[in-house]
Amino acid sequence: MQNGHTETEDQNQMVIDDKIPPLSWERKLNSQAKTPSEFKLTKRDHLHLFPLGYRLWRHTKEEAAKGRASIFDIFRKHHITGDHGVPLGGIGAGSIGRSYKGEFQQFKLFPKICEEAPVLTNQFSVFVSRPSGVKHSTVLCPTKPEAIKDNGGYLCRGEAPNVGINSWDWNMTGENSTYHALYPRSWTVYQGEPDPELRIVSRQVSPFIPHNYKETSLPVSVFDFTVTNTGAEQATVTLLFTWENSVGGASGLTGQHLNSTMMTRDGVHAVALQHKTANGHPPVTYAIAAKETKDVRVSSCPSFLVSGTSPNKITAGDMWDEIKKNASFDKLTSNACTPSKPGTSIGAAIAAKVKVPPGCDRTVTFSLSWDCPEARFDHKTYHRRYTRFYGGLGNAAVAMARDALLNFSEWETQIEEWQAPILADTTLPEWYRTTLFNELYYFNSGGTIWTDGLPPKQSLDSIGRQKISLSISTIDNNDSDQNNVALDILGRIDAVCSQIHAPLSSNTALGTTMVQPTEENIGQFLYLEGIQYLMYNTYDVHFYSSFALLMLFPKIELSIQRDFAAAVLMHDSSKKQVMSSGEFVTRKNLGAVPHDIGLNDPWFELNAYNLFNTDRWKDLNSKFVLQVYRDFVATGDLNFAKSVWPSVYTAIAYLDQFDKDGDGMIENEGFPDQTYDAWSCTGVSAYCGGLWVAALQAGSALALEVGDNGAAVYFNAKYEKARSVYEKLWNGSYFNYDNSRSGSSSSILADQLAGQWYARACGLKPIAKEEWIKKALETVYDFNVMKVREGTRGAVNGMLPDGRVDMSTMVSREVWAGTTYSVAACMIQEGLADKGFRTASGIYEAAWSDRGLGVSFQTPEAWNTNDEYRSLCYMRPLAIWGMQWAHTMPQPNREQEQSLRPQEEEETSVLFQQHAGFIKVAHYLKTTKGKDHRSRIQSAYETFLRVVRL
């Protein structure tokens, strides 16, 4: 028993060989994966959400007709499984998922697109022969082709027996084989499968390396196999890596795909698979490679037919038989590489043969890379971060695969140096030490895009009537093999694009304009709110997940904050329809922090979210101020602080309009105007009020750092005033949900101290009396945590004072994984570490243990008390790194408090002057409309529901 959590057999075993770390997440390959169960709306939910749902349905159809995505893809049927494992690649360059059984799935190579089902051609296989004549062969995956039946999966239609991959030997049971995961690496131990006297350990390595901004951007993974012969005879072992020329779904059948053998150096053999994409997506090139050594002989089959018919083509069955017969492709003939025909799909294979003497082991290493250098949005083309190192021509896959094989040992050294201190910290529960790393999968799998930081290229059709001209200077063209002419012309196009975009930069959320000439442009970063909730950099959620970026890749975190700082100073008067009310509102008001950075045209068209008017949300601006100050505290980057200070001041001034009675505290307006967007607040609320109190003193502290002492004094005075109002929510045990005295007013909100979480994390003063804060957290633990499945499901959002779950809204009755992690972090910071880890252990039980929902490596936003999930693969659970921040944070610095005490007369003068300026700015930013203006039909419908008490 550790922190209220009992470890069981299949969790976090102590294994110390084959580089498997002492702690890891484990599954047997033959374990039956639990299929996650999606939440269901109640009849009451259906009635309340019907108008919104109808508008959303209509909006989604309209957007699809324009070739645009909607934030909810309500027409798509998802391929849901519970067998996810560690995904492949670094971050920001596309992602390919992998199940713990060995399937390659979840292809996310293009913005907003996820092909979820596995492509079963993509496999590792093994062939073993011994002098006695004993032979074994199998695909190293217990799944068989006939198990995939839906149209989104592997396509083997029209195949004759012994021709397609169904003719391969699918003999793996997985009974004695175990998968271990510790992101960004995984290990699969094949114990006696297929040869009882052979042990094979496959180690998958991807370059997710904290503070490394080069290799982490690469779309590549390495697979290192250690083969141990425990028998009395020598074993000849051939490991085979097969890959289909497909980007998931039916894409392999579209035709004109081409595979070719590439000659490389340093013993690396590779096959390139050039994929001609459809539907306007940029082209993709894969490379599969293996390294030849004095023990390992590498050969390849650059093209074989997976499905369909084509004269003189080697079929998948022929390819398999060749390896079974000769243990290599050295005798392969008649394998000309020609483009595939529509209706057929092709694959490639690379084989590595090694002889393993009795009692010895040998190593075989493969790599996979994909080169998709462009990310396209609304006639704009961005280049990914890795193109700074490998170019943007789309011909770098082989080079990346080769470099990965030569350098992955150094990657592992850096990964182990990062992880070892945490894994060795026995003051932390074992489940936490593994889950802390495994939750980071989302930076790979969350639809991440990391650009090179340059302005996007636009098609000539999109620049209107402007005249442009490329530079006519000449270049020295002595090295035509290096594409000097092409690269030079592309450079001239980049220069023109910069000129075209220069007038627009001040009207977009391009934070790169705030980077000083002496500072590095690290690029711009996007990640989705969730794979089923399509919005980039959703800010109210990033508030929770951002601790991970700040601790591991702080330059990326600052880049995101610069984007939002630019967005605060942006006004977009175009209109969008709000789904909840049907009204049309301004897309983005000056001074408002946007909900998200966009979807179809990020940085240029903000606020893709359209359920409510987020310009009237009460949490976003406070969260911006708090995150900016926290990031400054963590990095000490004064240039960053000075560049975003005007945005911070503006964000605070914008919120001032929601202090209706002038008491210093903002009030909620009776609709879901914060991150809990199905749960209304009215008046002063524990959540938004606490954030406001914390934000005011963060603003004060930041002002002091940038030399604006007057603003520092003024915001500190506002903090003191707001705090006195906030404390009126205290009822002796916790802070009331709000002060409306109706509905959920007395509910116990698990996240009521979000403001205090950040205040303490930044070393600021508490938002209320410290004994009250600790008592409130103990109440949350006793009610929201322990009264739900005895603490094994996390903290339910809302709990009534009588110990029943608040069932009034869809959101109040849910457990949010990320929120639970943040509540646990707050507990740790306030000296309640045991309760904090016990609280968070419920998320492990629900999401990661074999007793949970089956959502490992796809942690959802929420689940209810019936173990039904909502929104798989979600951003917020990265908040577990907030717990690590709390565990390792330095002691707060109290010097600020003394520095903000000027003489009384001086303070009065400063406050008067500052107030005059602040009020003018706030007045200018004040929006003319009040809360949402509903249509008459909408108002009548809501009145009807109230009358019948629904």
Side-chain angles (χ1 to χ4, degrees):
M1 180 78 69
Q2 190 170 20
N3 289 294
H5 182 71
T6 304
E7 304 296 340
T8 59
E9 273 185 22
D10 72 331
Q11 304 153 12
N12 312 322
Q13 308 266 329
M14 301 296 290
V15 184
I16 311 176
D17 59 353
D18 300 298
K19 285 197 171 184
I20 300 174
L23 295 172
S24 63
W25 180 88
E26 297 184 16
R27 285 294 183 272
K28 288 286 188 182
L29 264 62
N30 69 336
S31 64
Q32 294 299 311
K34 183 182 297 183
T35 301
S37 176
E38 191 170 13
F39 83 107
K40 303 170 186 65
L41 293 173
T42 65
K43 291 181 180 179
R44 184 177 185 274
D45 292 333
H46 278 290
L47 286 170
H48 278 266
L49 296 175
F50 173 74
L52 184 152
Y54 171 73
R55 294 187 191 102
L56 188 61
W57 171 81
R58 187 177 61 187
H59 170 76
T60 303
K61 289 191 66 175
E62 291 171 352
E63 290 293 278
K66 300 174 188 175
R68 290 162 56 92
S70 176
I71 61 172
F72 303 115
D73 191 354
I74 60 179
F75 298 113
R76 178 173 181 175
K77 181 181 178 182
H78 292 279
H79 180 86
I80 304 299
T81 63
D83 58 3
H84 291 213
V86 173
L88 309 178
I91 62 176
S95 168
I96 299 173
R98 201 171 183 211
S99 75
Y100 64 75
K101 297 181 178 181
E103 301 149 304
F104 293 86
Q105 55 193 19
Q106 299 285 318
F107 289 75
K108 302 168 185 174
L109 303 182
F110 312 116
K112 304 171 286 185
I113 301 296
C114 176
E115 295 290 351
E116 297 164 332
V119 177
L120 287 187
T121 307
N122 303 343
Q123 296 290 350
F124 286 102
S125 304
V126 64
F127 303 78
V128 185
S129 63
R130 296 185 183 269
S132 62
V134 174
K135 292 188 175 183
H136 301 275
S137 59
T138 186
V139 176
L140 290 173
C141 176
T143 305
K144 295 177 173 56
E146 59 267 26
I148 304 297
K149 298 187 181 299
D150 69 86
N151 293 332
Y154 170 74
L155 302 168
C156 52
R157 298 189 294 273
E159 292 180 356
N162 304 318
V163 172
I165 68 167
N166 55 341
S167 66
W168 297 355
D169 300 326
W170 301 83
N171 300 325
M172 172 68 63
T173 67
E175 183 178 354
N176 298 317
S177 300
T178 309
Y179 178 86
H180 305 254
L182 191 70
Y183 185 82
R185 298 187 293 172
S186 67
W187 298 256
T188 306
V189 180
Y190 305 97
Q191 187 68 51
E193 292 191 86
D195 186 325
E197 297 180 328
L198 208 65
R199 184 176 191 263
I200 303 173
V201 178
S202 168
R203 188 169 79 258
Q204 174 186 304
V205 183
S206 294
F208 182 95
I209 309 168
H211 307 286
N212 181 322
Y213 296 90
K214 179 181 178 181
E215 280 82 3
T216 299
S217 73
L218 302 182
V220 65
S221 287
V222 173
F223 309 90
D224 191 63
F225 287 81
T226 301
V227 183
T228 304
N229 184 3
T230 60
E233 290 185 297
Q234 175 176 278
T236 299
V237 179
T238 298
L239 285 160
L240 178 70
F241 187 18
T242 51
W243 196 263
E244 185 172 332
N245 197 326
S246 164
V247 292
S251 62
L253 296 169
T254 56
Q256 299 302 307
H257 311 313
L258 178 65
N259 301 348
S260 56
T261 303
M262 306 295 292
M263 298 300 295
T264 60
R265 60 185 187 276
D266 299 315
V268 176
H269 296 244
V271 179
L273 298 85
Q274 296 169 302
H275 187 85
K276 184 177 177 62
T277 52
N279 303 320
H281 295 305
V284 178
T285 299
Y286 293 106
I288 56 173
K291 191 173 189 306
E292 193 165 81
T293 66
K294 63 184 180 66
D295 297 314
V296 179
R297 168 68 180 170
V298 177
S299 59
S300 65
C301 173
S303 186
F304 63 84
L305 193 66
V306 175
S307 63
T309 57
S310 184
N312 303 319
K313 272 282 189 182
I314 292 175
T315 66
D318 296 334
M319 180 276 300
W320 188 267
D321 292 340
E322 182 70 19
I323 290 290
K324 286 188 73 171
K325 180 180 178 181
N326 298 313
S328 76
F329 293 119
D330 291 339
K331 298 181 180 180
L332 193 64
T333 59
S334 303
N335 195 27
C337 294
T338 57
S340 64
K341 296 180 180 179
T344 68
S345 56
I346 58 174
I350 194 161
K353 182 174 75 173
V354 63
K355 294 182 179 180
V356 189
C360 296
D361 57 41
R362 294 291 184 267
T363 300
V364 175
T365 311
F366 298 91
S367 65
L368 167 71
S369 68
W370 56 95
D371 186 11
C372 183
E374 298 177 357
R376 296 177 181 173
F377 295 98
D378 195 29
H379 305 296
K380 298 182 182 71
T381 299
Y382 299 84
H383 278 87
R384 299 182 190 267
R385 165 77 175 172
Y386 74 87
T387 62
R388 282 187 173 262
F389 316 111
Y390 285 92
L393 299 180
N395 60 354
V398 170
M400 289 190 288
R402 169 188 168 275
D403 289 350
L405 288 171
L406 299 179
N407 299 323
F408 82 96
S409 293
E410 176 58 29
W411 301 350
E412 287 199 277
T413 298
Q414 295 177 56
I415 291 168
E416 288 167 0
E417 288 175 351
W418 158 49
Q419 294 184 336
I422 295 173
L423 294 174
D425 187 349
T426 56
T427 66
L428 299 170
E430 290 182 1
W431 66 263
Y432 170 81
R433 283 177 267 169
T434 58
T435 309
L436 180 70
F437 295 113
N438 286 333
E439 288 285 17
L440 292 171
Y441 83 93
Y442 193 78
F443 282 133
N444 170 280
S445 299
T448 316
I449 296 170
W450 187 2
T451 78
D452 60 3
L454 298 177
K457 293 182 176 66
Q458 287 188 267
S459 66
L460 295 179
D461 293 336
S462 67
I463 64 174
R465 300 170 65 91
Q466 296 183 65
K467 293 181 180 180
I468 64 170
S469 177
L470 304 186
S471 169
I472 58 174
S473 61
T474 59
I475 63 164
D476 180 12
N477 189 26
N478 295 325
D479 192 3
S480 59
D481 290 339
Q482 297 301 314
N483 287 296
N484 273 17
V485 174
L487 292 173
D488 177 71
I489 293 173
L490 288 170
R492 300 183 194 198
I493 293 173
D494 283 339
V496 170
C497 288
S498 296
Q499 295 172 15
I500 293 173
H501 283 290
L504 299 176
S505 295
S506 60
N507 298 320
T508 65
L510 293 171
T512 49
T513 59
M514 295 183 174
V515 177
Q516 301 299 314
T518 57
E519 295 178 304
E520 179 184 8
N521 181 353
I522 203 66
Q524 291 175 283
F525 191 82
L526 299 173
Y527 64 143
L528 291 169
E529 179 179 332
I531 295 306
Q532 297 171 352
Y533 286 16
L534 304 181
M535 292 155 280
Y536 286 114
N537 296 1
T538 300
Y539 202 71
D540 57 304
V541 183
H542 181 71
F543 173 78
Y544 295 85
S545 62
S546 57
F547 280 91
L549 270 182
L550 179 62
M551 296 181 75
L552 304 177
F553 300 99
K555 292 180 181 180
I556 295 179
E557 168 62 11
L558 295 189
S559 172
I560 291 176
Q561 299 301 350
R562 288 190 188 98
D563 288 347
F564 277 89
V568 169
L569 303 180
M570 171 185 170
H571 185 86
D572 183 351
S573 59
S574 64
K575 301 297 182 181
K576 68 171 187 177
Q577 187 179 27
V578 172
M579 299 294 105
S580 59
S581 64
E583 70 167 330
F584 286 83
V585 300
T586 299
R587 176 168 290 277
K588 162 68 177 69
N589 279 310
L590 177 65
V593 173
H595 173 274
D596 53 81
I597 217 70
L599 174 61
N600 291 295
D601 193 6
W603 298 293
F604 288 79
E605 184 183 88
L606 309 182
N607 282 332
Y609 179 90
N610 58 5
L611 300 189
F612 296 95
N613 179 9
T614 58
D615 280 354
R616 303 197 70 80
W617 276 22
K618 311 307 182 294
D619 60 340
L620 291 168
N621 284 42
S622 294
K623 287 175 174 177
F624 171 69
V625 177
L626 287 166
Q627 287 182 75
V628 164
Y629 181 66
R630 179 208 54 189
D631 293 353
F632 167 74
V633 168
T635 64
D637 191 331
L638 190 58
N639 285 334
F640 163 74
K642 289 180 176 179
S643 68
V644 301
W645 168 239
S647 299
V648 169
Y649 188 99
T650 304
I652 295 173
Y654 181 87
L655 268 189
D656 192 69
Q657 65 185 290
F658 303 117
D659 177 9
K660 304 293 186 181
D661 53 10
D663 64 352
M665 172 57 70
I666 61 172
E667 289 94 29
N668 294 85
E669 296 184 287
F671 73 101
D673 50 357
Q674 27 70 37
T675 196
Y676 296 94
D677 59 352
W679 197 359
S680 295
C681 273
T682 302
V684 180
S685 69
Y687 186 71
C688 296
L691 290 170
W692 172 243
V693 173
L696 286 171
Q697 59 167 325
S700 173
L702 190 65
L704 199 63
E705 296 290 351
V706 301
D708 193 341
N709 294 339
V713 171
Y714 182 68
F715 287 148
N716 187 64
K718 288 181 73 67
Y719 151 71
E720 298 285 359
K721 186 177 181 182
R723 173 175 164 168
S724 66
V725 178
Y726 182 76
E727 289 183 337
K728 294 177 183 178
L729 291 172
W730 180 249
N731 64 17
S733 297
Y734 58 93
F735 295 90
N736 285 327
Y737 180 73
D738 64 30
N739 67 351
S740 65
R741 298 185 179 181
S742 62
S744 294
S745 178
S746 61
S747 286
I748 307 168
L749 174 65
D751 201 14
Q752 61 188 265
L753 289 171
Q756 174 61 21
W757 172 39
Y758 257 72
R760 184 75 77 187
C762 298
L764 297 170
K765 295 175 288 186
I767 66 171
K769 294 179 181 178
E770 296 198 48
E771 60 269 25
W772 291 1
I773 290 167
K774 183 171 289 190
K775 176 62 176 177
L777 290 171
E778 290 173 343
T779 301
V780 168
Y781 178 80
D782 292 339
F783 282 75
N784 302 61
V785 177
M786 297 308 296
K787 289 185 182 296
V788 178
R789 301 280 190 93
E790 297 182 338
T792 62
R793 285 300 181 266
V796 69
N797 285 334
M799 181 69 75
L800 299 175
D802 62 7
R804 293 179 296 121
V805 172
D806 186 340
M807 302 295 288
S808 61
T809 71
M810 179 179 71
V811 165
S812 62
R813 60 177 178 262
E814 289 180 331
V815 172
W816 286 10
T819 294
T820 298
Y821 284 143
S822 73
V823 171
C826 190
M827 290 176 175
I828 294 169
Q829 290 176 173
E830 300 302 326
L832 301 172
D834 287 346
K835 286 182 169 62
F837 284 111
R838 177 60 191 271
T839 293
S841 73
I843 305 304
Y844 171 81
E845 283 288 340
W848 294 93
S849 82
D850 62 350
R851 299 172 295 279
L853 283 68
V855 293
S856 306
F857 292 102
Q858 51 180 338
T859 315
E861 159 76 318
W863 49 82
N864 58 29
T865 53
N866 296 323
D867 277 0
E868 298 168 333
Y869 76 86
R870 179 172 62 81
S871 186
L872 285 174
C873 197
Y874 197 80
M875 180 198 295
R876 203 184 315 250
L878 285 165
I880 192 173
W881 280 84
M883 295 177 64
Q884 190 63 14
W885 176 280
H887 177 66
T888 59
M889 65 182 286
Q891 290 298 312
N893 186 348
R894 297 294 186 184
E895 293 179 4
Q896 176 213 345
E897 190 170 353
Q898 282 74 37
S899 66
L900 291 176
R901 298 189 182 279
Q903 295 295 323
E904 186 175 346
E905 292 182 5
E906 178 187 351
E907 181 178 11
T908 301
S909 175
V910 169
L911 291 176
F912 179 79
Q913 294 176 14
Q914 288 292 321
H915 184 67
F918 180 83
I919 288 300
K920 281 192 175 183
V921 174
H923 180 76
Y924 184 82
L925 297 173
K926 186 175 182 180
T927 57
T928 54
K929 283 191 175 183
K931 56 180 120 174
D932 289 349
H933 287 67
R934 287 160 169 74
S935 67
R936 291 182 179 179
I937 296 176
Q938 177 74 26
S939 298
Y941 187 79
E942 293 179 1
T943 301
F944 166 76
L945 293 178
R946 285 195 296 271
V947 169
V948 297
R949 297 186 178 181
L950 288 173

